[in-house]
Amino acid sequence: MTTTHRATDTLTRDALAVLQPTFAGTTEAPAWLLRQLENGMTGVGLFGRNVQSTAQLAALTAQLRAANPEVLVATDEEAGDVTRLELIGGSSFPGNLALGAADDLDLTREVATAIGHRLTEAGVTVNWAPSADINTDPGNPVIGVRSFGQDPDLVARHTVAFVEGLQSTGVAACVKHFPGHGNTSVDSHLALPRIDIDLDTLHSRELVPFKAAVAAGTRCVMSAHILLPVLDPDRPGTLSSSVLTGLLRAPEADGGLGFDGVIYSDAIEMKAIEAVHGLARGCALAVAAGADAICVGGTPSDEDEVLTLRDAIIQAVRDGDLSEERLHDAAERVRALGRWTATARTAATTTPGAPARDIGLAAARRALRVTRQPGAAPYTPPARPPYVASFHPVANIAVGHHTPWGVATELERLLPGTRSAEHTADRAGAVGPAGLAARILAEAGEQPVVAVVRDAHRHPWMADTVTALLAARPDTVVVEMGVPASSPTGALHIATHGAARVCGRAAAEIIAGVPAGEDRDQ
């Protein structure tokens, strides 16, 4: 049961201001959302379910700005595997690992600038990106190709380049997931990860990219739902004042990062928080710990939920669990960011647009790593259209299940007659890797085989099936579209460092023998 509060009440408006909900799969703003924006709510999160086209999204965000001219419209357009603007067709830009593999700061900055221009055109003002996590655990199920790499300095310099490019377009960057989600084998969407490292390691590794991003002027930082006992043995980062206030906010002279911008929480309904503390209490604890904007993320909200969370924050103030000063400080930080984005958006409309050339495809081509086996004959494109066997892992929640990936679509365009099929762990479990390989070979017949995997090192069924395929057909081409942690195999091995649409196209060009830049539409 929600409580009635006057919309002019400062406490009520502050409680609404820190909430950043999402809404159901409608492509227009619901009436309740516009009403609460008028009542003091400051921000909205958008997901792929809210996007049909740039024009449609621009119309939706115009509705939001009509209700609150300084509204924060946020999404996580990381590009690569995590895209909201291009959920249905796949991203026009490779993700972080591909940019790290290319290791060209100007290229990363240019890609981020192009992404920023697309967001600006659609009316989005905050991008929950880039990921500044260092992917030190190869078994990481949720970061992987979303990281620029494993080296702290490389991740730091590309994080800075991304922030600079994005914010040059008037879109606020939100560097995530503080203080680092890379050294875990647990997905915080599903459970609470624990990272047991000492302070020296934390400062010399995990925090390096975040320190660089803060120094570069990132407007926002997003917290991680991870437990670091060296900082707080009881509460995850999002709910820990030691992490958010004692480390991220604290002055550099006191061992902190001296960050003065907006701290977003990661999606508060993720199981690492909700399953332990509940949604309402989680919101209040996060603000008390130092978070300013509470992302009520992937699960759509409605008005009843927003008002319930508002009332829980107000009650926490009245119970003494959250100071009114801390809540007001959070609300004022969020409002200040809204003012910055409104001004920056106006300035961005007077600057030149995104580069005319296809920077995303150019970056994907630069990221490819092609390996031929020692002593193998030079690779020649297939004399007949191939059969593409795509091995599909279970997608993590950040990526989702709807965005297409692979090389089959692009190969069908370049080599008409290409056939393809998808294969899963369940199928491998039913017949065994050798049995699955036999089925693939039977389906392929005389056609050359292209095996497409994603993080084969994390999925033994994939690796074992590919081994069986190669034993029977050594000329099989292997394309790794995840983290290339396994040794290259196949007559030709192509590591794309990500599964974006442009990564698939770049790999297909190599397989088909099409020179980069030649567009062979048929």
Side-chain angles (χ1 to χ4, degrees):
M1 176 75 68
T2 59
T3 307
T4 300
H5 294 281
R6 291 180 293 112
T8 55
D9 178 59
T10 299
L11 181 60
T12 300
R13 293 185 70 85
D14 284 352
L16 272 175
V18 301
L19 296 173
Q20 314 286 308
T22 64
F23 59 98
T26 56
T27 53
E28 294 184 358
W32 72 263
L33 185 62
L34 301 176
R35 181 164 54 247
Q36 295 308 323
L37 286 172
E38 293 171 350
N39 285 343
M41 199 168 69
T42 61
V44 177
L46 299 177
F47 281 80
R49 60 179 175 264
N50 307 119
V51 181
Q52 287 183 344
S53 67
T54 299
Q56 166 269 319
L57 188 55
L60 186 156
T61 57
Q63 287 183 292
L64 301 176
R65 279 191 300 279
N68 180 347
E70 297 175 351
V71 63
L72 296 172
V73 183
T75 194
D76 45 352
E77 187 59 33
E78 298 177 20
D81 287 28
V82 178
T83 176
R84 308 309 178 201
L85 297 186
E86 298 184 279
L87 177 74
I88 303 302
S91 181
S92 302
F93 305 97
N96 283 4
L97 191 63
L99 295 173
D103 197 13
D104 180 334
L105 297 183
D106 289 337
L107 182 66
T108 295
R109 194 175 293 107
E110 196 170 355
V111 166
T113 301
I115 292 170
H117 280 296
R118 289 200 179 183
L119 292 170
T120 300
E121 183 182 2
V124 176
T125 61
V126 179
N127 192 6
W128 293 322
S131 167
D133 305 298
I134 302 166
N135 200 50
T136 51
D137 187 338
N140 197 312
V142 68
I143 302 301
V145 297
R146 301 167 66 196
S147 167
F148 288 111
Q150 297 181 355
D151 177 74
D153 291 332
L154 179 145
V155 175
R157 62 180 180 261
H158 284 278
T159 296
V160 168
F162 198 104
V163 168
E164 290 173 344
L166 188 65
Q167 292 192 166
S168 73
T169 68
V171 176
C174 186
V175 177
K176 60 188 183 185
H177 306 78
F178 185 84
H181 206 313
N183 190 34
T184 174
S185 58
V186 175
D187 184 347
S188 54
H189 290 90
L190 306 175
L192 177 62
R194 177 187 174 108
I195 299 179
D196 289 300
I197 56 176
D198 57 34
L199 277 176
D200 287 343
T201 301
L202 180 70
H203 279 273
S204 64
R205 190 177 66 189
E206 270 75 9
L207 294 183
V208 171
F210 292 98
K211 291 176 182 177
V214 170
T218 184
R219 292 284 167 174
C220 313
V221 171
M222 177 176 281
S223 67
H225 306 330
I226 56 175
L227 187 70
L228 278 88
V230 71
L231 295 176
D232 190 324
D234 301 314
R235 288 184 174 176
T238 297
L239 308 184
S240 171
S241 60
S242 297
V243 173
L244 299 187
T245 303
L247 180 60
L248 182 54
R249 286 275 188 236
E252 293 181 66
D254 296 334
L257 274 66
F259 179 61
D260 196 39
V262 168
I263 300 176
Y264 271 88
S265 78
D266 204 348
I268 203 72
E269 83 285 353
M270 290 162 61
K271 295 303 180 184
I273 301 295
E274 193 274 336
V276 178
H277 302 279
L279 193 61
R281 179 162 172 75
C283 289
L285 289 174
V287 177
D292 306 307
I294 307 303
C295 173
V296 190
T299 304
S301 296
D302 56 21
E303 189 165 32
D304 284 345
E305 179 175 80
V306 168
L307 296 181
T308 296
L309 298 181
R310 177 203 67 183
D311 290 352
I313 292 171
I314 292 170
Q315 193 61 46
V317 171
R318 291 174 174 166
D319 291 344
D321 296 328
L322 168 63
S323 74
E324 190 166 355
E325 293 76 16
R326 164 81 275 267
L327 175 60
H328 186 63
D329 172 67
E332 285 296 288
R333 288 181 186 274
V334 176
R335 293 179 187 122
L337 179 63
R339 291 191 293 272
W340 179 86
T341 61
T343 301
R345 173 180 169 79
T346 301
T349 61
T350 64
T351 60
R357 68 192 181 94
D358 194 340
I359 187 62
L361 181 56
R365 288 168 176 156
R366 290 274 303 279
L368 292 182
R369 296 293 180 269
V370 181
T371 305
R372 295 172 176 81
Q373 294 304 310
Y379 174 76
T380 57
R384 63 180 67 190
Y387 174 90
V388 180
S390 296
F391 297 90
H392 278 238
V394 175
N396 70 63
I397 293 174
V399 175
H401 302 277
H402 302 293
T403 304
W405 67 280
V407 303
T409 299
E410 290 297 332
L411 274 176
E412 289 167 8
R413 184 178 64 84
L414 296 173
L415 299 175
T418 294
R419 295 188 298 124
S420 63
E422 299 176 358
H423 305 281
T424 64
D426 288 343
R427 180 176 291 188
V431 299
L436 180 55
R439 287 189 180 183
I440 290 170
L441 293 173
E443 293 173 7
E446 298 300 316
Q447 290 181 273
V449 176
V450 176
V452 184
V453 297
R454 196 167 176 176
D455 291 345
H457 67 284
R458 294 200 302 112
H459 303 287
W461 69 272
M462 286 188 197
D464 292 345
T465 304
V466 170
T467 297
L469 280 173
L470 290 170
R473 293 279 292 272
D475 62 340
T476 295
V477 172
V478 178
V479 182
E480 169 62 83
M481 302 195 79
V483 176
S486 300
S487 298
T489 59
L492 187 72
H493 184 276
I494 303 172
T496 61
H497 299 91
R501 175 177 56 81
V502 287
C503 296
R505 176 170 173 176
E509 290 173 344
I510 296 294
I511 296 168
V514 176
E518 178 180 319
D519 190 8
R520 190 192 294 179
D521 287 312
Q522 300 190 34

